[in-house]
Amino acid sequence: MVNVLKFIDRAVKQIRDTAGQDKVVMALSGGVDSSVCAALATRAIGNQLVPIYVDTGLMRKGETDRIRSLFADANLRVVDAADEFFEALAGITDPEEKRKAIGEKFIRIFEREAKRTGATMLLQGTIYPDRIESEGGIKSHHNVGGMPLDIEFKGIIEPLADLYKDEVRDVAGGLGLPVEIQHRMPFPGPGLAVRVLGEVTKEKIAIVREANAIVEECLVEKYQPWQCFAALIGLGTGVKGDVRLHGWIVAVRAVGSRDGMTADPLPLPYDTLARMATRITAEIPGVARVVYDVTPKPPATIEYE
Ligand code: XMP
């Protein structure tokens, strides 16, 4: 476990030394990693920092409004890039290709925004598990392995690169960030795209977004999982109002974990599962059935792709 105050001092110095007089852009997603990065960099370089929130169209329900109000006082730029992301994802079904397409888009948008703001450096909230999973070839995280090499930034600053998630949460506490941010569930960089098997479309994302919101409402407060979410895993037959339909199968996942490297499914009470299934099928017209995933990691991963 890191010594939080020492870590904060060292990170602030590292950011200040690396940035010099340059402007620095960063992706602010509102998750604990990027929020901690933003807070450290604000301490280090004040308004040389330009935090950018990219609305990829792949974010959770209400996320963009939440970020706007949470970071209302920061020098925040909100970029509406949903159409660009959906275009980039059209026709792609391979999970790694999806990640690469999203990673590439992300970087291009930052290059574009950096030019607009005069920023020459990039700050990233990469944490230790992101690095080892990318190096081990398990998957390319959009913020590491998926990064194209012709990047135009002068330098990249990754102050959290040696920390595990629980250590990042401790640093968030040390920085006095709101408890809501400190305890937020991890959310993958490629967003809801990895919670739709196969090709990503606006319609599928709209469905999985609603399902994720219901799962979070049902589970987060009561069971405090490491992560819980819904994924669209395929089509199956159902019957709604006397009509047979070919509808989506939603898989619900709720896991406990220390660092995301291994995970165990939560043994949720049956009535909680039944209520959640009823809500998802009743509130989302295109969903025909709901299943609960009881596979640990390994052998499964936490996300579906
Ligand atoms: P998996 O699915 O590999 O996920 O067991 C482990 C943790 O990482 C998150 N995750 C990602 N985070 N970019 C990210 O920034 C990604 O491409 C990505 N894929 C998975 C996942 O939500 C879990 O917390």
Side-chain angles (χ1 to χ4, degrees):
M1 196 48 72
V2 288
N3 177 317
V4 168
L5 296 181
K6 261 198 198 146
F7 173 84
I8 293 173
D9 282 348
R10 262 204 325 267
V12 165
K13 186 172 179 319
Q14 181 215 348
I15 296 168
R16 197 175 283 145
D17 291 349
T18 316
Q21 299 302 310
D22 290 8
K23 271 197 180 174
V24 179
V25 276
M26 71 162 298
L28 184 62
S29 70
V32 64
D33 304 344
S34 67
S35 300
V36 165
C37 268
L40 287 170
T42 302
R43 276 197 195 185
I45 56 172
N47 58 16
Q48 273 169 259
L49 176 73
V50 187
I52 295 168
Y53 170 77
V54 180
D55 184 350
T56 59
L58 306 168
M59 311 302 280
R60 280 171 289 189
K61 191 175 179 179
E63 192 68 353
T64 301
D65 291 340
R66 203 186 65 86
I67 301 284
R68 275 189 206 276
S69 66
L70 263 176
F71 295 95
D73 296 337
N75 187 18
L76 178 71
R77 284 170 77 98
V78 176
V79 185
D80 176 4
D83 288 343
E84 278 185 70
F85 277 88
F86 284 113
E87 247 168 62
L89 286 165
I92 302 180
T93 53
D94 178 78
E96 282 305 287
E97 290 299 310
K98 278 159 79 171
R99 273 203 168 73
K100 290 229 159 70
I102 294 169
E104 168 118 11
K105 239 319 123 222
F106 243 101
I107 295 297
R108 294 300 163 229
I109 288 170
F110 274 108
E111 286 171 346
R112 196 171 75 199
E113 292 302 318
K115 279 186 198 135
R116 282 187 190 154
T117 59
T120 57
M121 311 276 281
L122 176 70
L123 181 75
Q124 290 201 137
T126 315
I127 66 172
Y128 188 64
D130 300 340
R131 284 198 302 154
I132 40 181
E133 292 213 343
S134 282
E135 281 159 18
I138 295 172
K139 66 168 170 280
S140 57
H141 275 265
H142 91 270
N143 51 355
V144 187
M147 186 166 353
L149 295 174
D150 59 345
I151 186 162
E152 290 170 15
F153 293 106
K154 193 163 104 185
I156 297 176
I157 313 173
E158 295 182 323
L160 313 180
D162 295 326
L163 300 191
Y164 280 99
K165 199 78 175 188
D166 51 350
E167 295 174 318
V168 179
R169 293 192 203 283
D170 291 342
V171 175
L175 287 164
L177 291 177
V179 175
E180 184 213 331
I181 290 180
Q182 196 182 337
H183 293 297
R184 250 193 145 205
M185 293 191 296
F187 185 66
L192 297 173
V194 293
R195 296 179 182 173
V196 168
L197 295 194
E199 187 184 6
V200 173
T201 63
K202 270 191 186 163
E203 295 68 33
K204 290 182 201 168
I205 291 292
I207 292 171
V208 87
R209 177 179 289 125
E210 286 304 317
N212 270 270
I214 294 171
V215 169
E216 289 194 21
E217 273 173 39
C218 293
L219 302 182
V220 169
E221 214 169 290
K222 190 150 181 214
Y223 300 100
Q224 303 190 343
W226 159 271
Q227 252 173 308
C228 65
F229 61 86
L232 291 196
I233 60 168
L235 286 163
T237 314
V239 55
K240 278 189 170 179
D242 295 337
V243 179
R244 281 170 78 84
L245 78 140
H246 208 46
W248 290 105
I249 306 168
V250 166
V252 174
R253 193 123 168 85
V255 297
S257 179
R258 178 185 171 263
D259 53 19
M261 305 290 286
T262 60
D264 286 303
L266 298 192
L268 294 176
Y270 184 78
D271 61 334
T272 300
L273 291 170
R275 254 200 318 272
M276 198 159 44
T278 303
R279 274 197 63 187
I280 293 171
T281 48
E283 293 175 31
I284 312 177
V287 176
R289 60 181 77 197
V290 177
V291 298
Y292 184 55
D293 185 337
V294 294
T295 330
K297 174 184 179 176
T301 51
I302 295 176
E303 302 289 344
Y304 272 76
E305 282 194 340

